[in-house]
Amino acid sequence: MFDSSKSYQPIVLLNTIGKLVEKMIGKCLQFHMISNNFIYPSQLRGLKLRSTIDAGVTLTYIICSGWAKNLTTSTLVFDIARFFLFLNHQLLSFILDKVELDQKISMFFKNYLIGRKTKYLWNNFISPFFNVNIGVGQESALSPILSALYVFHSFENCLKILKIPIFIISFVDDGLFISQNKSILYSNANLFYCYNIILSLLMKCGLVVEHGKTDIFHFSRSHGLFNLPPLNLSSLGGLVLLLKDIWKYLGFIFNCKLNFRNHIDFYANKAISTIKCIKLLGNSLRGINPLQKRRLYRCCTLPIILYKLPL
């Protein structure tokens, strides 16, 4: 309850109201962008009703569709380093003008981005304010939709340059190139070409790819994957990507045959460990009762067991 004898800082209330206003604006902006096709179709994060399950289902569908045409599917995943911190405000304002928003809305976001400051706290030391001319707040409700527009601009330019059939899946700062061909060597060449283009485009947008997290994986029903050469990205500043038996992407564990045995083994063991921990919380004499254990099982164990089921 509110105690009038105590002094309260109104900044807490202002921050709460500000977050509610940001959520309201973010929802309206998402509706406008999606209804007018200003968001890349395979942007699967930062938007409502899209999650890791959608990314996994999309990838699985592409792989199975390729197998129906006797094509091997090759994937190259890359990660954008410090994505939210490196968004350029001038480019973001240009993108907002490009999507033909109302002038008042464009001016709001331009004023929202400029004049941002921050300071650092370390134990008892408090630094003076510093100007923040780039980036958006990762905890802000507007960051997901603004970052989705930023990614859309980069991938839109990438698709205009590419003259080869390629799929792109974006999950916030994780990008995935998907190439399908009867020859994995041709797919490797296509992925190398795509990686080179996206590096230059992201650099122009003020973003940097973290080469250490770049990975490649092939999905094939054949048995001749072991003699293939690795994908050498050293000329682009990357690594030499070796072939692997399993690949972990957004919590899913894939193998080249797409049978999910490794995924099931991993999450089954994780679910068993969770059940054992729940068992330690109480017995028939003290602790939680059976009804509470059932609730814990449904809340904590079932999501682990059923993760990837739509795939």
Side-chain angles (χ1 to χ4, degrees):
M1 296 179 63
F2 180 79
D3 187 358
S4 59
S5 63
K6 296 181 180 180
S7 60
Y8 292 90
Q9 296 182 0
I11 190 170
V12 177
L13 182 60
L14 291 176
N15 286 340
T16 303
I17 294 177
K19 291 178 180 179
L20 292 175
V21 173
E22 284 188 348
K23 286 185 178 181
M24 179 184 65
I25 297 173
K27 288 182 179 180
C28 295
L29 191 60
Q30 280 195 27
F31 176 81
H32 175 76
M33 297 304 173
I34 295 175
S35 59
N36 291 280
N37 297 321
F38 291 135
I39 298 295
Y40 188 71
S42 295
Q43 170 65 30
L44 299 175
R45 188 67 174 102
L47 303 173
K48 296 183 71 65
L49 304 179
R50 299 189 186 183
S51 63
T52 56
I53 297 295
D54 298 310
V57 169
T58 302
L59 178 58
T60 304
Y61 174 79
I62 293 174
I63 295 169
C64 294
S65 299
W67 284 350
K69 302 175 184 177
N70 295 322
L71 300 177
T72 298
T73 302
S74 302
T75 62
L76 181 70
V77 62
F78 59 92
D79 182 85
I80 303 175
R82 291 173 288 182
F83 176 64
F84 289 99
L85 300 178
F86 281 5
L87 298 188
N88 185 279
H89 291 176
Q90 293 182 352
L91 179 58
L92 192 54
S93 299
F94 168 77
I95 296 172
L96 292 172
D97 290 335
K98 185 179 179 181
V99 297
E100 300 177 355
L101 289 174
D102 186 87
Q103 190 65 27
K104 294 181 180 180
I105 300 176
S106 299
M107 289 302 300
F108 165 79
F109 279 103
K110 289 178 181 178
N111 293 329
Y112 172 81
L113 293 171
I114 65 174
R116 303 177 71 90
K117 296 182 179 181
T118 187
K119 62 180 178 179
Y120 300 95
L121 173 65
W122 183 265
N123 293 331
N124 296 325
F125 170 76
I126 301 178
S127 69
F129 278 100
F130 295 94
N131 292 325
V132 182
N133 298 321
I134 59 173
V136 293
Q138 191 166 355
E139 73 285 351
S140 173
L142 290 174
S143 297
I145 183 62
L146 293 177
S147 60
L149 287 172
Y150 209 92
V151 170
F152 167 76
H153 176 76
S154 302
F155 286 168
E156 183 187 35
N157 293 331
C158 182
L159 291 174
K160 289 180 180 178
I161 297 174
L162 294 174
K163 303 299 182 182
I164 56 177
I166 199 81
F167 299 97
I168 301 178
I169 295 178
S170 174
F171 199 84
V172 192
D173 56 347
D174 292 328
L176 183 68
F177 286 124
I178 305 173
S179 176
Q180 291 183 320
N181 205 296
K182 291 186 177 181
S183 171
I184 294 182
L185 294 178
Y186 282 111
S187 295
N188 280 354
N190 291 339
L191 293 176
F192 181 90
Y193 177 53
C194 296
Y195 192 71
N196 185 21
I197 291 176
I198 200 65
L199 281 180
S200 60
L201 288 176
L202 291 176
M203 188 174 296
K204 292 179 180 179
C205 295
L207 301 173
V208 179
V209 172
E210 193 170 350
H211 296 292
K213 294 184 178 180
T214 306
D215 204 358
I216 190 171
F217 198 78
H218 303 285
F219 296 90
S220 175
R221 292 178 174 177
S222 65
H223 299 281
L225 293 177
F226 302 101
N227 298 324
L228 292 174
L231 180 61
N232 190 353
L233 300 177
S234 58
S235 60
L236 304 178
L239 305 174
V240 178
L241 304 179
L242 304 175
L243 300 183
K244 298 180 180 179
D245 296 329
I246 60 173
W247 174 50
K248 191 170 183 179
Y249 175 66
L250 299 179
F252 305 110
I253 302 176
F254 295 99
N255 56 16
C256 62
K257 305 300 180 184
L258 204 65
N259 54 28
F260 293 103
R261 290 179 181 175
N262 303 95
H263 182 100
I264 293 172
D265 290 341
F266 176 81
Y267 282 97
N269 291 327
K270 188 175 181 180
I272 292 173
S273 301
T274 305
I275 292 173
K276 290 181 178 179
C277 293
I278 294 175
K279 183 180 178 181
L280 297 175
L281 295 177
N283 52 40
S284 58
L285 298 178
R286 63 183 184 275
I288 61 176
N289 56 45
L291 179 60
Q292 292 171 333
K293 287 184 179 181
R294 178 179 178 274
R295 290 176 178 173
L296 283 174
Y297 171 78
R298 293 176 63 87
C299 295
C300 301
T301 307
L302 279 183
I304 296 174
I305 298 175
L306 300 179
Y307 188 64
K308 80 87 187 170
L309 185 62
L311 276 65

